[in-house]
Amino acid sequence: FMKKISHFLMLMALAFPAYTQTNEQYKTLFNNVDALVTHYIEYSTLNTPQQPKVTEASINRFISLFTSEHTLIDYDIKRIINDNAVHGIPLCPVKTYCDTLAKYNPNGLNSVKLIKADINYNAIKNNKVHVLIEKKMVGNSKQGNRFDNHITELMVLVISDNMSTVKIDSILIVDPP
């Protein structure tokens, strides 16, 4: 009987790891989440001041923030690509989003500005943190049409067990433009 209980408790411990991180690990997490959000906003233009056109390097830099180039995101791109509808929400892989943005906006976006970010560290669950980001995106299409979008996104971030690595697992638009 005790052997069954100890086996059950061991399985429960593996299934539901306790969050026994140190203050130093939480400080690392806070810094890594802050850096990820900062890089996400900066890299979202898909260009740099030194290279004001979309390049493969700028696309790869942006994609490096995600768990994979196949990470599904809900973006403005949903007006262009409607292949992966999930519960009525068209989703596309982040690589497809980048390639399509480059096709229609070869210079990338003019600017992406963070308006605010709400991060709830108290709700760390299954090594995931939810971040609500409000941002403004400005750009010009290949035809010269200017767009100015104010978007609120829900980002799900995946955290490594020791809290040293943070990646974007998904992005959903909360209030489409």
Side-chain angles (χ1 to χ4, degrees), residues 79-99:
R79 294 186 183 99
I80 300 167
I81 300 170
N82 197 6
D83 296 345
N84 296 317
V86 176
H87 304 293
I89 300 172
L91 300 173
C92 72
V94 67
K95 175 73 167 120
T96 303
Y97 164 76
C98 292
D99 291 343

Side-chain angles (χ1 to χ4, degrees), residues 8 15 21 28 38 41-42 48 62 64 67 84 94 96 109 117 131 158 171 175:
F8 174 76
Q21 281 72 20
T28 299
T38 300
I41 294 299
E42 178 186 343
T48 66
F62 182 69
S64 73
T67 52
N84 296 317
V94 67
T96 303
L109 300 174
V131 180
V158 175
I171 298 177
D175 61 351

Side-chain angles (χ1 to χ4, degrees), residues 50-129:
Q50 300 80 20
Q51 183 66 42
K53 293 194 177 296
V54 177
T55 64
E56 202 59 38
S58 62
I59 288 174
N60 290 336
R61 184 175 71 156
F62 182 69
I63 290 173
S64 73
L65 303 174
F66 293 80
T67 52
S68 147
E69 71 178 41
H70 305 291
T71 299
L72 293 177
I73 59 174
D74 166 23
Y75 242 108
D76 291 340
I77 204 78
K78 65 186 174 185
R79 294 186 183 99
I80 300 167
I81 300 170
N82 197 6
D83 296 345
N84 296 317
V86 176
H87 304 293
I89 300 172
L91 300 173
C92 72
V94 67
K95 175 73 167 120
T96 303
Y97 164 76
C98 292
D99 291 343
T100 306
L101 182 67
K103 178 180 176 183
Y104 291 96
N105 305 86
N107 295 327
L109 300 174
N110 298 353
S111 67
V112 178
K113 301 223 184 291
L114 178 66
I115 296 168
K116 82 176 171 183
D118 293 323
I119 306 166
N120 185 353
Y121 292 106
N122 293 327
I124 296 175
K125 205 177 210 181
N126 299 325
N127 288 31
K128 293 187 179 185
V129 170

